[in-house]
Amino acid sequence: TLIGDERLGIDLARTMHTEQRIESSHPLEVGTTYTASATVESIRKAAGGRLITFVTEVRDPGGTTVQTLRTTLLSALAESDESTGGPA
């Protein structure tokens, strides 16, 4: 998962969900199996941390995107990373 990816250095105890947008082409249907894939869209510096934006696409069994979710987290830098601007 992206949240557990050590390269991002997200400490959930120091992270706040700041924004979420959902675009749907149609409602999800009960009994249908959907797949989701998430990617990091951007990482921007913010006061004392980073704003990390993820985009998740939800697809139906035919591969058609039925929902796109855009989520932004504010992740505070770990104390050891504050002087360097974050993990590499």
Side-chain angles (χ1 to χ4, degrees):
T1 66
L2 287 174
I3 298 297
D5 190 325
E6 291 182 16
R7 294 173 296 174
L8 290 176
I10 296 174
D11 176 359
L12 290 179
R14 298 171 54 96
T15 299
M16 180 173 62
H17 184 266
T18 61
E19 180 180 4
Q20 178 129 11
R21 289 180 284 170
I22 302 172
E23 298 172 15
S24 296
S25 62
H26 60 274
L28 300 180
E29 298 175 9
V30 173
T32 301
T33 300
Y34 297 92
T35 59
S37 60
T39 57
V40 176
E41 181 178 68
S42 66
I43 300 175
R44 301 180 307 274
K45 288 184 180 180
R50 298 167 295 147
L51 288 168
I52 304 170
T53 301
F54 301 92
V55 175
T56 303
E57 292 184 339
V58 179
R59 293 183 180 85
D60 66 15
T64 301
T65 300
V66 295
Q67 285 189 338
T68 302
L69 299 86
R70 186 165 273 104
T71 305
T72 302
L73 304 175
L74 174 60
S75 182
L77 293 176
E79 292 172 13
S80 61
D81 294 329
E82 288 178 355
S83 62
T84 62

